[in-house]
Amino acid sequence: MTATCAAALVFGVVAPVAAQPLPATAAQDNAARQIAALQRFKQVQTKAESKLDSRLLVEQKLRRDRAAAAAVPRVQTGAKVSSGGTVLVDITADKVSDDLLGSLTKAGAGIRSVSTDAGAVRADVPLAALTAVAGRPDVRHVSEAAGAITAAQQPRAGVPAKPESKEQKAARIAERVRAAVEARESGRAAVVTSEGDRAHNADTARATYGVTGVGVKLCALSDGIDSLEVSQAAGELPAVDVVPTQEGEGDEGTAMLEILHDLAPGAELGFASAFNSEASFADNIRTLRRNHGCDIIVDDVLYFVESPFQDGLIARAVNDVTADGALFFSSAGNDGNTGDGTSGHWEGDFVDSGHVVGKFAGTAHDFDPSATTQVFEPVSTESTSVPVTLHWSDPLGASANDYDLYLFDSAGNVVAFSQDVQDGTQDPFELLRTPATGAGLRLAVVKFNGQNRYLSLSALRGRFTNSADGLKAFTTPGVTVGHSAAKQAFSVAAAPANNPLPFDLETGDPANPRGPFPGAFDANSKLERFSSDGPRRVFYQPNGTPITPGNVGATGGEVRTKPDITAADGVQTSVSGFRPFFGTSAAAPHAAAIAALVLSGNPGIARSEVREALVNTAVDLGPAGFDARTGAGVILADRVLAYTGASPQPRALAQSPKVAPADGGDLVDPGDTVAVTLPVTNTGDADAVSTSVVVTSPTANVVITPRSQGYGTVAKGQTVNREFTVRVPLSHPVGTPVVLDARVTFAAAASPTRGTFSFPVGRPSPVAQTFSYTGPPVAVPDISTVGASVTIPVSGVGPASKVTFSVDGTTCTSAIGATTVGIDHTYVEDLVGTLTAPNGTSVTLHNRNGGSGNNLCQVVFDDSAAATFASLSSAVAPYTGTWRPNQSLTPFTAVQANGNWTYKATDGAAGDTGSIRAVSLHINGYVTPPPGA
């Protein structure tokens, strides 16, 4: 079949004078009618409808209009409408206001996440209410929730597995924790180590240089860490600093953390989910750096909306943290490359085919660079259920050129489409998904109106291949997009460490490569055939300013050389589903951990020198020099550390002091002299030599003697104590703590370290005053970050010496909807409860604990309790008794208690609801000394 005849299958309803007439066919007429039907929706839509995702708009209309549905019999909008008639959407607004959130709630929406910085809300909204939401003047756009994928390489799914219920998941994890503890206690457990540790020479590098990652905090973003507790019970992972409520769902994050710990066992670890929304992902990147002190951040997630041509929300967050001194590593992606013939990517200037499309408007793009015209891009038969993205070279939020994307079968039926409006305020983006089955599929790009632009068309995890009916596939390099292509990010390609990928990417593919384990990578090592290629052409600065004004075509913008480096995948972890772990998801944490060894052995090293070391020492895997598949090549830890040098570093840290009044009393009064024993522990990789400590206080008129003391050499892993004398002035107010600042100096680049401690002054009142919420029950919205809050006013206390919190109730029962309990809620483990003091200090009391049982009643959260609330299981529901909270209540001591306290409950999983009914604060103040005392 000629390209012209192929075009006739779809196009040629109206032809320009210069165009060759197209022969009429049944398929052509069929396609013309269907495109006209879809364009009719676009042509007549209202202003509010123009702000609504075209797939959602068409889904609404097809459900209401049988005639419209009959006109496009095979079309699939892709809209995921729940059995309750709701759709998960992303709403962008001028500002996320209480009024906007209130109107969404009133419309029956469940708020999933909110980003005030990005002006974004993710919510589950009734399909029928979407047009009204879009019609608000403060709403810019409503789109189906932005999809995302991790970069784990898994076989194509067959029949979808039955979703696991919350109860089944909790039982599965509990059983695995039990088994891990039993195996460890019996001595049968063997810690699993990534083969990448050996293949990268990281094991020998640690032994040679004596560095383990000490002094560095490594943090990951992925889907979730469901099995974190299992890995910790098995001895695979230490404590992990998880951003509150951002544990996510899934286990790729757990597997990434295991790789980080295998190669850099001395580093601290942190985690946050990247899967709540695009805006939430960006917020969490900044949170990990600013609030959790992460030195190196690594992720493996791509959002489909991420622009190839301008740094979007996530890439700008990467820019922020790298400008602040963090290193950022990101998976290059598993979307194939032209070198291996595995790519489903084409980019280039729009070429007008001369074929007008549909009844109203539009000309099709010509993919064929020769004199032949071809308006289709054929998709391989096995490219099923893959997202297809179309981006073009307009600035984000300001596209006035309207392009649309259509997917057809070989008979000319429209199978899927995306035809959003771009009239000056929208993103230059369209998205559709291929069906679960089908052969002979082909894509077409239509310029509905506007100027010619540079296009990027990607079938992510799919492939463009020649069709059986004569269509030729056209591919170009450069499928790596989004924040992985940020200037200062390290985009990481993948090479197998050990066994080859155990399945074909597509039927009939060549054999997948094998790695060097138990040897190390060398120049003969091979790249994974799925690893995404670069480079990445970018047309706009992050703020939307053109890089080359007037030229946003194939010769404009700037070209970023991506990916940057290559690292190991195909490695073992202990995490179910990631044994082995293939994909650039596994490669990125290997590279990040090697960078942690560099920072550990070189405190204060310039980040530019780290990049120089990784790039300059990489082993070339492709053509000489940098190439668009492997970057600089595969990195080896020993070569990198030989380049930078490294020495084991001590890390002397002041610990919580022991306080003893000189008069032998059990508390400190104003005017007392206090013996303060201050421990210093060396958690580093080497002895801390010439260690000394200076103790000062910002508290008025406090005298400390001696001001400084020598601690001598604090050996690796050891603790040394010294005693200081602190005199508290007689005028010191009762209830105000004495604050001590300790500066620990030792012979190392990481010196000094600092710590701040405090001790209370005054006699705590033995009497706790109780303050209760007295309002009506407040419903906790299902799976909503907005949650429900109640206010508890406090007066007449002054500084607090102790705080406990209770969930009350008169008669305890696990009955659904019980009115006699403090909190009635089915499946208590859905809930996160936080308590906030008048000064803004906040403590998490319970965080997704308790299993599937119902209701909290006569529960007391008290730091002195023997067991934690997290240890409870559904077997003891309704939950009663006294328990330690998730976080200590100590931050509330010495807080000015008078004012409004807030208890907030949020629900983190769907399907269960309830209400806050009766909760109380119990606060001890201080005994007021008699006059003249």
Side-chain angles (χ1 to χ4, degrees), residues 92-136:
T92 54
D94 297 328
K95 178 183 178 182
V96 178
S97 64
D98 290 340
D99 182 65
L100 173 59
L101 296 177
S103 71
L104 289 171
T105 302
K106 187 175 180 180
I111 310 298
R112 299 293 178 262
S113 66
V114 174
S115 174
T116 54
D117 288 345
V121 179
R122 175 163 286 192
D124 202 31
V125 184
L127 179 67
L130 289 177
T131 304
V133 171
R136 286 179 57 99

Side-chain angles (χ1 to χ4, degrees), residues 207-274:
T208 300
Y209 294 95
V211 295
T212 65
V214 161
V216 179
K217 189 165 186 179
L218 273 167
C219 298
L221 295 123
S222 187
D223 54 358
I225 47 171
D226 286 352
S227 296
L228 176 61
E229 190 179 355
V230 179
S231 292
Q232 290 171 328
E236 298 285 349
L237 283 174
V240 177
D241 180 18
V242 181
V243 175
T245 74
Q246 295 301 307
E247 64 278 358
E249 292 188 7
D251 253 331
E252 204 155 320
T254 314
M256 292 175 70
L257 289 169
E258 286 196 5
I259 292 172
L260 294 173
H261 186 60
D262 285 348
L263 272 68
E268 297 178 69
L269 299 176
F271 180 82
S273 177

Side-chain angles (χ1 to χ4, degrees), residues 405-767:
L405 180 61
Y406 296 93
L407 179 69
F408 304 91
D409 64 16
S410 58
N413 291 300
V414 178
V415 178
F417 70 94
S418 183
Q419 54 178 35
D420 289 0
V421 170
Q422 284 86 26
D423 60 7
T425 61
Q426 297 84 11
D427 289 339
F429 173 67
E430 300 288 347
L431 169 72
L432 60 79
R433 186 177 287 272
T434 63
T437 59
L441 298 176
R442 63 277 319 267
L443 294 156
V445 175
V446 174
K447 183 180 69 173
F448 189 73
N449 59 53
Q451 301 299 311
N452 292 353
R453 287 292 182 261
Y454 189 87
L455 309 177
S456 171
L457 178 68
S458 299
L460 300 172
R461 308 291 170 87
R463 194 178 294 185
F464 296 155
T465 57
N466 297 342
S467 72
D469 57 0
L471 293 174
K472 183 179 179 181
F474 295 96
T475 60
T476 62
V479 70
T480 293
V481 300
H483 64 280
S484 177
K487 276 188 177 181
Q488 295 304 317
F490 290 91
S491 180
V492 186
N498 192 8
N499 294 323
L501 185 74
F503 54 87
D504 291 341
L505 298 177
E506 290 203 1
T507 303
D509 273 4
N512 293 309
R514 178 179 293 275
F517 184 84
F521 287 118
D522 60 24
N524 295 315
S525 297
K526 302 298 182 183
L527 185 76
E528 293 283 16
R529 299 182 66 255
F530 55 73
S531 197
S532 295
D533 61 6
R536 170 59 15 238
R537 185 176 295 275
V538 177
F539 293 102
Y540 295 94
Q541 303 289 356
N543 65 1
T545 302
I547 294 172
T548 53
N551 184 358
V552 290
T555 61
E558 66 179 16
V559 177
R560 297 177 182 174
T561 51
K562 299 289 176 176
D564 296 276
I565 52 177
T566 300
D569 81 330
V571 300
Q572 293 295 322
T573 74
S574 76
V575 183
S576 178
F578 300 91
R579 300 189 297 227
F581 185 6
F582 279 94
T584 54
S585 282
H590 281 99
I594 291 171
L597 298 180
V598 175
L599 297 191
S600 180
N602 297 272
I605 188 173
R607 292 336 188 221
S608 59
E609 187 176 346
V610 179
R611 176 175 288 275
E612 181 182 300
L614 292 172
V615 170
N616 288 357
T617 65
V619 177
D620 210 334
L621 297 185
F626 185 93
D627 69 83
R629 295 169 63 231
T630 68
V634 66
I635 58 174
L636 293 172
D638 56 341
R639 290 170 60 118
V640 175
L641 291 177
Y643 188 94
T644 63
S647 58
Q649 299 293 314
R651 193 162 185 253
L653 301 172
Q655 309 296 311
S656 296
K658 179 181 178 181
V659 177
D663 62 7
D666 59 352
L667 54 87
V668 178
D669 290 314
D672 276 357
T673 297
V674 182
V676 175
T677 301
L678 183 67
V680 169
T681 299
N682 180 8
T683 63
D685 288 329
D687 294 347
V689 179
S690 302
T691 305
S692 64
V693 177
V694 173
V695 179
T696 58
S697 177
T699 306
N701 300 315
V702 167
V703 178
I704 301 170
T705 55
R707 183 176 182 273
S708 67
Q709 290 202 65
Y711 279 61
T713 296
V714 183
K716 174 183 174 180
Q718 299 300 306
T719 298
V720 174
N721 293 285
R722 293 289 185 268
E723 186 175 292
F724 294 80
T725 299
V726 178
R727 292 198 298 273
V728 181
L730 186 62
S731 59
H732 188 84
V734 167
T736 299
V738 169
V739 177
L740 302 177
D741 292 328
R743 185 178 77 238
V744 184
T745 305
F746 47 101
S751 172
T753 61
R754 302 175 187 275
T756 298
F757 312 96
S758 65
F759 59 83
V761 176
R763 182 173 297 278
S765 172
V767 178

